[in-house]
Amino acid sequence: MAELMLFHHAQGLTPGVLGFAEDLRAGGHVVHTPDLYDGTTFTDIGSGVSHAEAVGFDVIIERGMAAASGLDDVVVYAGFSLGVLPAQKLAQTRSGARGALLYHAGVPTSAFGSSWPDGVALQMHVMADDDWGDLADMQSLEAEIEGAELFVYLGSTHLFADSSLPDYDEKAAHLLLERSLDLLNTID
């Protein structure tokens, strides 16, 4: 059983993000889903990104860091798109991090001023033709970090694992969940 902090995407803490968390819990894991938007959700990604820009990406990251402050050190951090920012920062910089699941996005390790820590697992998921995704950055992370896994899915939708959004792709989302559970089941 792993303990996991799952950060939502730019559209907020949607029913699809909460449903995904429930699927992880059904796999035997403890999952925390902080709301970095204080209950606000958006019907389209552009509006959500505009909100995140108005709030400030640094503020979003700090809210994620604060949400993790009460947890034990031995945690896996996961994020959907925008949520990758606090998830990746925590995985790179917080003592005791066990792994990171980066969905739909990733940033260079230099964004957080440190290299990837030894022993912290990394798994990434993105669609091949996703205009919002960070495939090139994720490929760089895979090349840089020993043991990192990058899964590229056929298609062009961004938030394909959120069952409450039009981008949802059931087949790809199921495979993403299966692969995520495989990684989580290796973390003690």
Side-chain angles (χ1 to χ4, degrees):
M1 175 188 77
E3 185 168 7
L4 179 82
M5 179 157 279
L6 176 64
F7 295 103
H8 62 76
H9 47 70
Q11 288 180 246
L13 190 57
T14 62
V17 172
L18 293 171
F20 186 82
E22 283 302 317
D23 290 340
L24 294 172
R25 288 183 188 109
H29 305 288
V30 175
V31 184
H32 306 276
T33 54
D35 187 345
L36 305 179
Y37 280 4
D38 298 321
T40 303
T41 58
F42 298 89
T43 57
D44 65 273
I45 194 165
S47 297
V49 170
S50 293
H51 176 75
E53 289 171 340
V55 169
F57 294 117
D58 288 343
V59 172
I60 299 293
I61 293 169
E62 287 307 314
R63 288 177 181 176
M65 301 289 286
S69 67
L71 295 178
D72 290 336
D73 288 341
V74 182
V75 176
V76 175
Y77 300 99
F80 287 100
S81 193
L82 173 71
V84 161
L85 294 174
Q88 187 173 333
K89 181 168 184 176
L90 284 159
Q92 270 187 241
T93 65
R94 191 165 190 245
S95 176
R98 300 293 290 144
L101 292 162
L102 308 183
Y103 304 124
H104 322 298
V107 297
T109 56
S110 61
F112 303 116
S114 65
S115 60
W116 196 262
D118 290 338
V120 176
L122 174 60
Q123 190 180 87
M124 301 168 286
H125 302 263
V126 67
M127 282 205 162
D129 297 315
D130 175 0
D131 288 339
W132 287 93
D134 298 324
L135 179 56
D137 285 335
M138 295 167 100
Q139 289 169 326
S140 294
L141 288 169
E142 180 186 33
E144 174 187 343
I145 300 164
E146 184 176 338
E149 295 179 290
L150 172 60
F151 296 103
V152 181
Y153 302 80
L154 294 178
S156 60
T157 59
H158 185 54
L159 300 173
F160 68 88
D162 185 324
S163 62
S164 65
L165 299 178
D167 276 359
Y168 182 63
D169 180 317
E170 184 176 7
K171 183 177 176 183
H174 178 75
L175 192 52
L176 177 147
L177 176 63
E178 183 179 293
R179 289 169 167 164
S180 297
L181 288 169
D182 286 347
L183 176 71
L184 291 171
N185 290 334
T186 67
I187 294 176
D188 47 20

